[in-house]
Amino acid sequence: MSSKSADAAATQLSQLRDAIDAVDTQLVDLIAQRAAITAQVGQVKRQLKQPLYVPEREHSLIRARRQYAEQKGLAADLIEDVLRRIIRESYRTQTMQATPTSTDLSRPVVIVGGRGRLGQLLAKLFGQTGYQVTVLDKGDQWTDELAAQAQLVMLSVPVNQTVGVIRQLPALAADCVLADVTSVKSEPLQAMLEQHSGPVVGLHPMFGPSVQNLAKQLVVVTPGRCADACQWLLDQFVNWGAHIETSDAGQHDEAMGWVQAMRHLSTFSYGLHMAEENADIDALLQMSSPIYRMELMMVGRLFAQNAELYADIIMANKQQFPTIGRYLERFGEALGYLEKGDKARFIEQFEQVKAYFGNYASQFLDESEGMVQLADDQRFRQQHGG
């Protein structure tokens, strides 16, 4: 290419980049305009007492925009990714406009353990929604007036202290809802039923205290007593955007053995092994695939949090310990036949497990691809100071 042609091409490239910058600015302006409209939507929802998250509306919106994107020759997945990120931000702005579902806001909501991180989040949500919130924590004393007036007492204390705290509760109003947010349910639920003769319900928020809002977050409900009297509380979580799943306490605790004890102990052991072997984390990050980076992120995430909390969670699921023991045996067996070079045995068991997962295997593969892309984008931003 001649010098003159190169100069012309460079000029054209600069002009095209300027045009892209102008369009990007317009995109930001349009997103800001959309945010202002969604804030108004939140105000109208409050008047109508509608929930933050309406799945049918979001699904309809996404479906229509995907079709329009294809008509414009754009990748539907790209537009869906962009819209979902924008929608997630709009939920954050609408959270403060949530509607109270209780019919009597003059009666206080008491958060026992309300200075803990999850307790603080719950107190904030109730307060923003218009409830009178009273926080009790270590050293705070109940008053007869508070016990008689409370419409809800919610326990957000460490799992190994929950039953003890329940047994020390004063006599509550007959219609006061007593609830807990502990990660195990059988013992706390039984203790609440024995301590309080009124409405009782067990809750397990399947999210951490760092969430910005409850849109699409899962709350598992284990019914106790007087379900109708507890319904306003469940409706409040739905109004905040949460998804409710109901389970009996025993079924919940069995599942949590897998979801929590097994996973957390496996993650802890992997991190412990890395530390004992002094693995070079920087080198692993530099040469890791996006999927391994995600796995490493989940390990590091555990150790960025409270050690006592995870010890309590694992130890509260002792019924899972025999299963964990069998897991270690299977791990050792697999290592044994791999050391012997028995590839056929590995393939045989691989196919057995593949058959067990069935269609879930391909479903999980598809779901993880989007997460892998996000992890890759995050690594790029970190590497380039974005």
Side-chain angles (χ1 to χ4, degrees), residues 37-82:
I37 295 172
T38 57
Q40 296 177 38
V41 168
Q43 294 173 357
V44 176
K45 281 184 179 179
R46 182 179 179 87
Q47 295 174 7
L48 296 174
K49 296 187 177 181
Q50 291 187 355
L52 172 69
Y53 170 52
V54 182
E56 297 80 8
R57 163 62 182 165
E58 182 174 312
H59 295 163
S60 175
L61 184 154
I62 294 294
R63 183 169 57 251
R65 300 305 174 269
R66 285 181 63 93
Q67 293 173 354
Y68 187 66
E70 291 174 346
Q71 294 173 13
K72 290 292 184 177
L74 296 172
D77 287 348
L78 167 65
I79 299 306
E80 179 173 347
D81 287 346
V82 172

Side-chain angles (χ1 to χ4, degrees), residues 159 183-184 252-262 264 311-322 324:
V159 61
S183 60
V184 294
H252 167 276
D253 289 352
E254 182 178 356
M256 285 307 104
W258 289 95
V259 174
Q260 291 191 326
M262 186 83 179
H264 292 328
D312 289 342
I313 289 174
I314 294 171
M315 294 175 69
N317 287 275
K318 291 181 180 179
Q319 74 279 2
Q320 193 70 12
F321 286 4
I324 295 172

Side-chain angles (χ1 to χ4, degrees), residues 155 161-169 178 180 182 185-197 200 225 249:
L155 304 163
Q161 299 176 24
T162 302
V163 171
V165 171
I166 291 170
R167 289 173 176 161
Q168 294 175 5
L169 289 173
L178 178 59
D180 79 311
T182 315
K185 295 268 70 87
S186 295
E187 290 187 37
L189 187 62
Q190 184 59 39
M192 288 191 294
L193 290 169
E194 294 172 357
Q195 184 71 19
H196 179 49
S197 60
V200 169
R225 181 190 298 122

Side-chain angles (χ1 to χ4, degrees), residues 26 59 66 205 217 229 330 356 364:
Q26 293 176 38
H59 295 163
R66 285 181 63 93
Q217 299 293 344
R330 292 185 178 103
Y356 161 76
F364 294 158

Side-chain angles (χ1 to χ4, degrees), residues 175-243:
D175 63 343
C176 177
V177 177
L178 178 59
D180 79 311
V181 290
T182 315
S183 60
V184 294
K185 295 268 70 87
S186 295
E187 290 187 37
L189 187 62
Q190 184 59 39
M192 288 191 294
L193 290 169
E194 294 172 357
Q195 184 71 19
H196 179 49
S197 60
V200 169
V201 63
L203 305 175
H204 184 188
M206 299 298 293
F207 52 83
S210 61
V211 298
Q212 294 184 340
N213 58 69
L214 301 195
K216 306 181 186 180
Q217 299 293 344
L218 172 62
V219 178
V220 180
V221 175
T222 54
R225 181 190 298 122
C226 303
D228 289 346
C230 299
Q231 191 59 48
W232 72 265
L233 176 58
L234 307 189
D235 289 343
Q236 188 62 73
F237 276 94
V238 172
N239 188 268
W240 286 329
H243 168 64

Side-chain angles (χ1 to χ4, degrees), residues 242-367:
H243 168 64
I244 299 293
E245 287 286 349
T246 302
S247 170
D248 68 70
Q251 183 183 33
H252 167 276
D253 289 352
E254 182 178 356
M256 285 307 104
W258 289 95
V259 174
Q260 291 191 326
M262 186 83 179
R263 178 170 60 87
H264 292 328
L265 185 56
S266 295
T267 303
F268 166 78
S269 299
Y270 191 86
L272 177 62
H273 182 62
M274 287 183 64
E276 294 290 341
E277 297 290 322
N278 197 28
D280 188 334
I281 296 178
D282 287 334
L284 293 176
L285 289 174
Q286 290 172 5
M287 293 178 280
S288 64
S289 64
I291 194 69
Y292 178 71
R293 183 182 179 86
M294 286 180 59
E295 293 176 355
L296 196 56
M297 286 166 53
M298 297 311 296
V299 176
R301 175 186 173 87
L302 180 76
F303 294 98
Q305 300 180 71
N306 185 280
E308 186 173 356
L309 169 65
Y310 282 94
D312 289 342
I313 289 174
I314 294 171
M315 294 175 69
N317 287 275
K318 291 181 180 179
Q319 74 279 2
Q320 193 70 12
F321 286 4
T323 301
I324 295 172
R326 291 192 294 273
Y327 167 72
L328 294 176
E329 292 175 4
R330 292 185 178 103
F331 195 103
E333 290 172 1
L335 179 60
Y337 62 67
L338 286 170
E339 286 179 332
K340 296 176 181 177
D342 192 348
K343 182 178 178 180
R345 176 64 172 157
F346 176 85
I347 294 174
E348 176 189 357
Q349 292 200 318
F350 189 99
E351 294 299 329
Q352 289 175 0
V353 179
K354 182 176 181 179
Y356 161 76
F357 272 94
N359 292 333
Y360 285 113
S362 56
Q363 175 186 327
F364 294 158
L365 176 62
D366 291 340
E367 291 178 4

